[in-house]
Amino acid sequence: MKNLKLIFVLAAVIGLSACQSKVEYGDATEVETVNENFGSTDLQDIAAKMVDSMMTFPPVVVMTQTNRPIIFVDKIKNKTSEHIDTESVTDTISNKLLRSGKFRFIDMTKVDTVRKQLDYQNNAGMVDPTTAIKFGRQIGAQYMLYGNLSSIVKQDGSTKDVYYKMTMRLMDLETGLIEWSDEKEIRKVKSKSFLGL
């Protein structure tokens, strides 16, 4: 009985030691195909396609030749059935456009924080009035960039088809005119073998 317990304990220890996990760094730009859900490759492809499309669209090229328009980017709306961090998609597109040197941005997600800081500087009595930034000096955005990410999912037996579509638009806030619009489509198909592998 004692030997049986010892064998069981040894087997458990060997089994646990054989199941150790391993972590390695991977290439962030490598194609990711872990599953059919929206992933890092999709985010990078969509961001690159949208930025390239906007930067090469003739009216936008003319608009950015002699000045840097001020844009605010509305968070991309997730209209898919899965949880997707669309803020990440929005950030990647904003960063690519800002780094082009052609646009300037207003961060609407920080308006309340900025308002609190300006209120503190102007009304708390703790900041030298000659160094306090005055209310009403911020520059307004000229354009709004916004978009939607939607999907259609279909399954038939062992095959699952997932179609994603990202649509983006650039609106002139003064006129309400859409100055640019484009969409990017991605389709992923997952098939299971007879053995379910």
Side-chain angles (χ1 to χ4, degrees), residues 35-54:
N35 59 37
E36 73 280 5
N37 295 335
F38 191 86
S40 61
T41 301
D42 305 319
L43 185 153
Q44 292 163 1
D45 285 350
I46 279 179
K49 164 76 165 72
M50 288 303 178
V51 170
D52 289 347
S53 171
M54 189 170 147

Side-chain angles (χ1 to χ4, degrees), residues 62-70 101-104 142:
V62 170
M63 173 194 314
T64 58
Q65 274 179 344
T66 57
N67 99 44
R68 293 174 63 209
I70 301 165
K102 299 284 188 179
F103 298 94
R104 293 177 291 168
Q142 298 162 288

Side-chain angles (χ1 to χ4, degrees), residues 1-196:
M1 186 68 167
K2 233 179 193 183
N3 286 339
L4 188 59
K5 284 184 181 178
L6 183 60
I7 291 170
F8 179 74
V9 169
L10 274 170
V13 168
I14 290 169
L16 288 174
S17 64
C19 295
Q20 292 177 350
S21 62
K22 181 179 179 184
V23 176
E24 295 178 345
Y25 282 100
D27 181 357
T29 60
E30 187 177 309
V31 174
E32 173 261 317
T33 56
V34 174
N35 59 37
E36 73 280 5
N37 295 335
F38 191 86
S40 61
T41 301
D42 305 319
L43 185 153
Q44 292 163 1
D45 285 350
I46 279 179
K49 164 76 165 72
M50 288 303 178
V51 170
D52 289 347
S53 171
M54 189 170 147
M55 296 296 295
T56 57
F57 189 61
V60 175
V61 171
V62 170
M63 173 194 314
T64 58
Q65 274 179 344
T66 57
N67 99 44
R68 293 174 63 209
I70 301 165
I71 294 179
F72 91 85
V73 182
D74 194 20
K75 182 180 172 189
I76 292 164
K77 290 179 178 44
N78 180 6
K79 294 187 170 185
T80 71
S81 58
E82 64 184 278
H83 171 73
I84 296 174
D85 182 5
T86 54
E87 191 170 344
S88 234
V89 181
T90 306
D91 289 346
T92 301
I93 290 169
S94 299
N95 287 338
K96 285 180 179 291
L97 286 171
L98 185 60
R99 291 184 59 79
S100 75
K102 299 284 188 179
F103 298 94
R104 293 177 291 168
F105 286 86
I106 292 174
D107 188 348
M108 294 303 294
T109 65
K110 296 299 175 191
V111 169
D112 285 338
T113 305
V114 170
R115 185 180 295 122
K116 287 176 186 173
Q117 177 56 214
L118 292 180
D119 186 51
Y120 166 77
Q121 289 186 23
N122 287 281
N123 300 321
M126 298 177 71
V127 176
D128 180 347
T130 62
T131 65
I133 296 171
K134 306 294 181 224
F135 280 103
R137 298 269 177 105
Q138 291 190 4
I139 296 172
Q142 298 162 288
Y143 298 92
M144 176 174 72
L145 184 63
Y146 61 99
N148 299 310
L149 179 62
S150 58
S151 68
I152 298 172
V153 180
K154 293 197 173 185
Q155 188 154 0
D156 183 20
S158 62
T159 302
K160 185 175 184 181
D161 182 277
V162 184
Y163 166 83
Y164 294 101
K165 183 171 83 168
M166 169 78 145
T167 305
M168 291 199 78
R169 292 185 175 94
L170 180 69
M171 176 193 285
D172 183 322
L173 290 175
E174 185 175 10
T175 64
L177 294 173
I178 304 300
E179 297 291 347
W180 166 83
S181 181
D182 203 351
E183 59 188 29
K184 164 77 174 162
E185 299 168 303
I186 295 172
R187 167 164 264 125
K188 292 181 166 183
V189 179
K190 177 182 179 182
S191 300
K192 288 184 182 175
S193 71
F194 178 71
L195 298 174

